Amino acid sequence: MSRSLNHPYYKKAPIQSIQALSRALKIEPDVLVAIANNAEDLWKPPHELKKDDGTSRLVIDAMPRLKAIHRRIQKELLSHVYFPNYITGSVKGNDYSVNAAIHVNKSIVIAEDIKSFFPNSTTTLVNEIWTSFFGFSPEVAGILTKLITKNECLPQGGICSSYLANLAFWDLEPSLFEALETKGIAYSRYVDDISASSQTQLNNIEKTQVIRQIYGMLIKKGFRPKRAKHEIHTRKKPMVVTKLVVNDKVSLPNAERNRIRAAVFQLERRINGGERGHQIATDITHIAGRVGVMNRFHRTEGGQLKNRLKILKDVLSKCSIQNTTLPAKPIIFDSTQDPF
């Protein structure tokens, strides 16, 4: 039977018993059930995760024993799901830049954000995905739901969470995508960021229809849009999708580029001021990640910043070898690099 490329689907046979699940995950049935029944207590406390773009988010990670099972669920079950191209989060070969590229060089972009996406991805929703999408038995779905949820929802940061998040609208999203596509409107979702764009301008009625269709899908699944994140971009200003500008090509917003340049300059000032030690080395490593993002989208500018960071790393390395506090001479950086 042929399948539509616009519909996600599970490539393997549905699992109908705990014994079959045990064989698939290579874990004894009694061990699997025991861990599932105690899974709520097998999570670490939430912690803040800093991202390369300078922002951070609160995530929760499983303890080693439970995390090992999550890896097997991901490898043996979730990696065998086909996702259509408009789903771009945590899909091999896709990322936030691929998501943004779908909307490059359009006349209008409508950006929506799902409010409290992971906390509202409830055990009821997760269980329904296991039974209705995967076709697993209620018994198997119950065990898997216990294993991957925390506090009756998908934990942000869990190995399996983004995969299940991609399937939150598995039965509604294909129809929405196809309905918009027939009107010449491109659609994509990067986890909880939804974008729709058109090569031609949309009038107010058409814009309202697109937004109503997206909101209708969310509400049917128990979600709500984050009204504060609702944005409509036109070519008169930077058009932003998943924090990237898409007017003519995928690029970083000017404000973010300025922040990265300023961060490198501040590191240079600190080194010139004589600062050494673990903290400055840690900060250089962190800023290097942001410079790497810059280099991905702006090779010339990013390459220059990478070279400046290399000089700083070399200085720290020499000081470490010589076991000195300050170099013989202060490092003089080109004053034209001052972003201020």
Side-chain angles (χ1 to χ4, degrees):
M1 181 179 68
S2 62
R3 298 179 185 270
S4 168
L5 295 179
N6 298 329
H7 291 247
Y9 61 87
Y10 182 51
K11 302 174 186 177
K12 300 177 76 175
I15 298 173
Q16 301 299 333
S17 68
I18 297 299
Q19 289 71 26
L21 178 63
S22 168
R23 289 193 295 272
L25 300 181
K26 301 177 180 62
I27 302 170
E28 290 297 321
D30 56 340
V31 174
L32 198 58
V33 172
I35 293 176
N37 288 335
N38 292 279
E40 277 289 325
D41 300 322
L42 297 176
W43 294 86
K44 298 177 183 178
H47 66 280
E48 190 175 63
L49 176 67
K50 288 186 177 182
K51 298 191 286 186
D52 287 341
D53 63 5
T55 62
S56 62
R57 58 191 174 103
L58 201 63
V59 299
I60 183 170
D61 196 9
M63 293 180 182
R65 193 179 188 191
L66 182 60
K67 192 170 185 175
I69 295 178
H70 290 170
R71 288 197 179 99
R72 295 193 186 188
I73 292 173
Q74 186 276 324
K75 179 182 178 182
E76 303 299 337
L77 306 180
L78 299 176
S79 67
H80 296 281
V81 173
Y82 163 79
F83 288 104
N85 290 336
Y86 58 82
I87 299 295
T88 57
S90 297
V91 177
K92 188 176 182 180
N94 286 349
D95 63 4
Y96 73 117
S97 67
V98 172
N99 181 76
I102 293 172
H103 306 282
V104 165
N105 203 27
K106 300 295 178 68
S107 295
I108 185 171
V109 172
I110 298 171
E112 302 290 348
D113 191 273
I114 304 172
K115 185 176 182 180
S116 302
F117 185 45
F118 285 95
N120 287 315
S121 297
T122 63
T123 52
T124 299
L125 176 69
V126 172
N127 195 80
E128 188 268 340
I129 291 172
W130 289 124
T131 56
S132 299
F133 174 79
F134 285 89
F136 294 174
S137 70
E139 182 184 33
V140 171
I143 291 293
L144 288 170
T145 299
K146 287 180 179 180
L147 287 168
I148 66 172
T149 58
K150 169 69 174 172
N151 296 330
E152 298 189 351
C153 67
L154 282 176
Q156 188 165 8
I159 290 174
C160 302
S161 293
S162 56
Y163 290 88
L164 273 294
N166 283 344
L167 295 169
F169 310 103
W170 68 272
D171 53 341
L172 301 176
E173 210 160 24
S175 297
L176 172 63
F177 170 82
E178 290 165 0
L180 294 176
E181 187 179 44
T182 59
K183 298 176 183 178
I185 298 171
Y187 170 91
S188 71
R189 178 166 63 91
Y190 182 78
V191 191
D192 56 353
D193 289 311
I194 294 175
S195 302
S197 63
S198 174
Q199 198 73 52
T200 59
Q201 273 293 349
L202 303 177
N203 60 39
N204 288 337
I205 294 176
E206 291 169 328
K207 285 185 282 189
T208 300
Q209 288 175 339
V210 171
I211 295 167
R212 183 180 293 122
Q213 286 176 283
I214 293 172
Y215 285 8
M217 179 186 74
L218 301 185
I219 292 169
K220 284 179 182 177
K221 287 292 187 176
F223 294 95
R224 292 289 185 275
K226 186 183 290 185
R227 302 281 182 172
K229 290 285 190 76
H230 165 74
E231 295 176 343
I232 297 178
H233 304 283
T234 62
R235 295 193 66 82
K236 295 179 181 179
K237 294 182 178 181
M239 304 168 71
V240 180
V241 173
T242 47
K243 298 183 180 180
L244 295 171
V245 177
V246 297
N247 289 56
D248 302 302
K249 63 178 183 178
V250 178
S251 61
L252 289 178
N254 286 334
E256 176 60 13
R257 293 165 68 183
N258 290 337
R259 284 191 288 268
I260 294 172
R261 285 194 295 266
V264 173
F265 178 73
Q266 289 301 322
L267 289 173
E268 290 170 337
R269 288 188 63 180
R270 290 164 63 185
I271 290 285
N272 254 343
E275 183 175 347
R276 302 294 183 269
H278 174 73
Q279 186 58 57
I280 187 71
T282 299
D283 292 345
I284 289 175
T285 299
H286 175 63
I287 299 304
R290 297 175 65 188
V291 169
V293 174
M294 170 86 87
N295 189 59
R296 179 178 180 182
F297 301 107
H298 306 276
R299 297 304 294 266
T300 300
E301 189 173 16
Q304 292 170 349
L305 293 178
K306 286 178 69 176
N307 288 335
R308 288 165 65 181
L309 286 182
K310 184 178 184 301
I311 293 172
L312 300 185
K313 291 177 181 178
D314 288 344
V315 170
L316 292 184
S317 177
K318 288 177 182 178
C319 289
S320 176
I321 293 172
Q322 297 170 2
N323 194 27
T324 59
T325 303
L326 293 173
K329 296 180 180 180
I331 303 129
I332 305 300
F333 298 103
D334 185 354
S335 62
T336 62
Q337 296 173 342
D338 188 336
F340 308 109

